[in-house]
Amino acid sequence: MKMRQGYLWAAFCLWALTFPLLQASSDGLVRIGLKKWRLDYNRIRAARMARRAKSIGGVVKSMYQGFGDSDGEPVLLRNYMDAQYYGEIGIGTPPQNFTVVFDTGSANLWVPSTKCHFSIACLFHSKYNSRLSTTYIDLGKEGEIHYGSGSISGVFSQDNVQVGSMAIKNQVFIEATREASLVFVLGKFDGILGLGFEEIVVGNATPVWYNLLRQGLVQEDIFSFWLNRDPQATDGGEIVFGGVDKRHFKGQHTYASITQKGYWQFEMGEFLIGYQSTGFCEAGCAAIVDSGTSLIAGPTAIVTEINHAIGAEGIVSQECKEVVSQYGNMIWDLLISRVQPDAVCSQIGLCNFNGSQIESPRIKTVVEEEDARGTKVGNEVWCTACEMTVIWVQNQLKQRKTKEIIFSYVTELCQSLPSPMGESVVDCGRVPYMPDVTFTIADKHFTLTPKEVRFHSQVVSSSFNVSVSIMPLLHKSQFTFQYVLKTGEGITTVCLSGFIALDVPPPRGPLW
């Protein structure tokens, strides 16, 4: 994975949760409530530092007639910083309660174990005690899961799991005995409940959602999220298993077919900034709906263009500017000569022909062998900087701009690259003048504005094996920003870009 991936904001992977309330309602739904927490910028920076070296995780039917008519099982959620939504489950007999992130970007269930003795994170969270459960089974197998925000390891166990009013028999999960990330220390959540496909599960365990279906605990193979962005609301939202709560949306959903099992992956069309084409997804881009990712993540090259357009500031990338200065003319000549863009960087010697970084051609001494890792990272940075430069120049050439204008623009983009710590801060005074950004999904435009608008809720539904549906929701009269996160008051106010750079390598990536 490329160096730019380290720019992720651990801030918004702080899956910090409060204790949810479990309640039943007359419509047969079980809801898990959410609460709004104030954004703590200092804690964000601390967590961001811990995340710099981490890598991306995971390894990250026909359309219904009478959609949502069935009685589903809702679990109320709580909201932390308008960035993570979590709820409560029970494990064991009698149930031991845990708060978990319902994460469509992974497929395993794990919670901390009383066998966890050397990880600070375990000290601050509820821990599963197998001795207290009469239905516990020791599977005698170890496992490890890597996320974008850190990793966990532990032992596989089997027990009954309570989700809302549904009791899952013989669910395999991981008792975490090691949590290797400051993110898990700062987070208020205990564990993660993966809702991805079994193709990305670790340890050949059957995911919770599969067991809900196989044990006949839901009537329809569909689950849905309602995410409430109202900071004053008691409930932060809900996840409904087996249906959709019609009280939380109006109009029709837009369906997008699943293109690859693993994540909830679909094809995204053109991406627009200020209603102008970026040229980046004209032929389609792979995207996933990931309830465990707090912000909008995309390839570094295009996210840099977005942050430039909205005036987000990052640390100047010297490597990027050096590529433009030293190789800009060569890149220009090759593109003008109709060399394929993905071959340009290999032809000038900064990447391999397969698009990856090159190794230094000279023979290494014994001492230099010790620095091999650092050399590889350095070459990787140059390759990445070249690839981004090619993308930017190519997009500008399509708009028939002059060479001078293009390279002036590209140099500005270099200065807008996310900083090594991931910060992309915008001037709060400029928010009303920032451009709209538009995603095209299933041939329909979904436009986000930085301005304060009355939209504050969203429904995302997943129909098993087939499709995802997405719907902005007009609800109440609460004002909120759509792609800018605003925290603090008065002179302490900080506005953060809602876009983060994430370069997922093949074969899973690149991904939005």
Side-chain angles (χ1 to χ4, degrees):
M1 181 161 278
K2 297 179 180 176
M3 175 179 285
R4 300 302 177 194
Q5 159 183 350
Y7 295 168
L8 285 175
W9 288 358
F12 304 101
C13 293
L14 283 179
W15 295 317
L17 314 305
T18 55
F19 197 78
L21 301 176
L22 186 63
Q23 61 185 33
S25 60
S26 59
D27 58 7
L29 301 181
V30 179
R31 297 176 175 80
I32 296 177
L34 302 174
K35 288 188 179 295
K36 172 74 72 174
W37 285 63
R38 290 291 183 181
L39 188 63
D40 188 334
Y41 194 61
N42 290 328
R43 293 180 69 185
I44 286 176
R45 293 180 62 89
R48 210 177 275 143
M49 293 175 65
R51 188 172 179 177
R52 289 182 61 182
K54 302 300 178 183
S55 60
I56 183 65
V59 58
V60 51
K61 157 182 182 174
S62 298
M63 303 311 176
Y64 289 101
Q65 304 297 323
F67 180 58
D69 288 341
S70 64
D71 289 336
E73 289 292 337
V75 177
L76 297 182
L77 303 174
R78 291 195 177 186
N79 179 2
Y80 178 77
M81 301 192 315
D82 193 23
Q84 290 296 332
Y85 297 79
Y86 61 96
E88 184 184 88
I89 64 170
I91 302 178
T93 307
Q96 301 171 41
N97 294 330
F98 302 92
T99 54
V100 295
V101 172
F102 293 93
D103 178 26
T104 58
S106 64
N108 288 81
L109 168 63
W110 68 265
V111 295
S113 171
T114 54
K115 304 167 188 173
C116 179
H117 303 297
F118 302 105
S119 291
I120 297 177
C122 293
L123 300 177
F124 297 99
H125 296 97
S126 300
K127 292 175 283 293
Y128 172 79
N129 189 337
S130 59
R131 295 181 179 180
L132 301 181
S133 175
T134 60
T135 48
Y136 159 76
I137 297 178
D138 180 7
L139 299 181
K141 183 174 65 173
E142 297 182 348
E144 183 174 3
I145 304 176
H146 294 271
Y147 298 94
S149 54
S151 65
I152 66 99
S153 58
V155 294
F156 282 93
S157 299
Q158 180 178 295
D159 210 332
N160 295 340
V161 173
Q162 189 83 17
V163 179
S165 62
M166 301 174 293
I168 305 170
K169 303 294 185 182
N170 305 319
Q171 176 65 49
V172 175
F173 65 102
I174 293 180
E175 292 185 57
T177 57
R178 178 176 177 271
E179 298 182 39
S181 175
L182 182 61
V183 169
F184 297 134
V185 176
L186 298 178
K188 291 183 175 62
F189 69 99
D190 299 317
I192 294 177
L193 192 157
L195 290 170
F197 288 86
E198 61 185 355
E199 280 76 3
I200 60 173
V201 77
V202 173
N204 203 33
T206 300
V208 169
W209 175 236
Y210 283 71
N211 276 332
L212 285 173
L213 293 171
R214 292 170 182 174
Q215 296 181 22
L217 299 176
V218 292
Q219 295 184 25
E220 292 183 282
D221 54 352
I222 182 172
F223 62 85
S224 60
F225 286 87
W226 167 55
L227 306 179
N228 188 354
R229 299 190 63 190
D230 182 355
Q232 307 302 324
T234 301
D235 293 334
E238 69 180 14
I239 178 172
V240 179
F241 293 98
V244 173
D245 192 335
K246 290 184 176 180
R247 297 176 302 171
H248 296 308
F249 70 91
K250 299 177 182 178
Q252 301 298 316
H253 285 72
T254 297
Y255 289 90
S257 297
I258 296 298
T259 55
Q260 181 176 337
K261 289 184 180 180
Y263 304 115
W264 289 92
Q265 183 171 329
F266 58 96
E267 182 174 286
M268 185 177 79
E270 177 66 294
F271 179 80
L272 311 174
I273 301 177
Y275 301 99
Q276 297 296 315
S277 171
T278 61
F280 193 76
C281 291
E282 288 180 329
C285 288
I288 66 173
V289 176
D290 182 6
S291 58
T293 297
S294 308
L295 303 181
I296 300 172
T300 298
I302 190 65
V303 168
T304 298
E305 288 200 53
I306 297 170
N307 282 335
H308 176 266
I310 67 177
E313 299 178 355
I315 295 177
V316 177
S317 169
Q318 188 62 35
E319 294 88 353
C320 179
K321 298 183 76 173
E322 287 183 11
V323 166
V324 175
S325 174
Q326 296 182 30
Y327 300 96
N329 288 330
M330 295 176 63
I331 292 173
W332 175 273
D333 292 339
L334 289 171
L335 289 175
I336 292 297
S337 301
R338 298 187 182 278
V339 172
Q340 289 298 313
D342 57 2
V344 169
C345 294
S346 61
Q347 290 202 21
I348 63 178
L350 294 181
C351 297
N352 283 332
F353 283 98
N354 63 0
S356 62
Q357 71 277 4
I358 61 170
E359 292 289 345
S360 177
R362 61 191 180 87
I363 299 175
K364 299 183 180 73
T365 66
V366 174
V367 174
E368 288 172 331
E369 286 290 347
E370 298 179 2
D371 298 325
R373 184 184 300 272
T375 301
K376 183 177 181 180
V377 170
N379 290 332
E380 191 172 287
V381 173
W382 280 81
C383 177
T384 301
C386 178
E387 291 173 336
M388 289 189 296
T389 301
V390 169
I391 291 173
W392 296 333
V393 172
Q394 178 73 2
N395 287 342
Q396 294 298 300
L397 279 172
K398 292 179 181 179
Q399 300 180 32
R400 300 182 181 277
K401 294 185 178 179
T402 66
K403 183 177 181 179
E404 180 180 357
I405 292 176
I406 289 177
F407 280 106
S408 174
Y409 174 70
V410 169
T411 301
E412 291 179 4
L413 290 181
C414 285
Q415 298 180 198
S416 298
L417 283 169
S419 71
M421 300 298 286
E423 296 97 336
S424 289
V425 182
V426 299
D427 182 353
C428 294
R430 287 193 49 185
V431 169
Y433 309 102
M434 293 178 187
D436 290 346
V437 295
T438 301
F439 294 87
T440 306
I441 301 174
D443 297 322
K444 181 176 180 179
H445 285 173
F446 290 84
T447 299
L448 302 181
T449 174
K451 306 175 182 65
E452 290 185 304
V453 293
R454 292 173 185 257
F455 292 90
H456 79 267
S457 304
Q458 184 180 33
V459 174
V460 178
S461 308
S462 298
S463 177
F464 197 49
N465 292 350
V466 178
S467 65
V468 293
S469 62
I470 302 175
M471 182 178 197
L473 173 63
L474 181 61
H475 185 71
K476 297 184 179 179
S477 58
Q478 179 69 35
F479 286 92
T480 186
F481 295 111
Q482 288 188 333
Y483 73 73
V484 174
L485 288 167
K486 188 175 182 181
T487 179
E489 298 179 358
I491 61 174
T492 64
T493 299
V494 175
C495 289
L496 306 174
S497 168
F499 296 94
I500 58 174
L502 174 59
D503 294 310
V504 181
R508 284 291 179 186
L511 286 175
W512 280 81

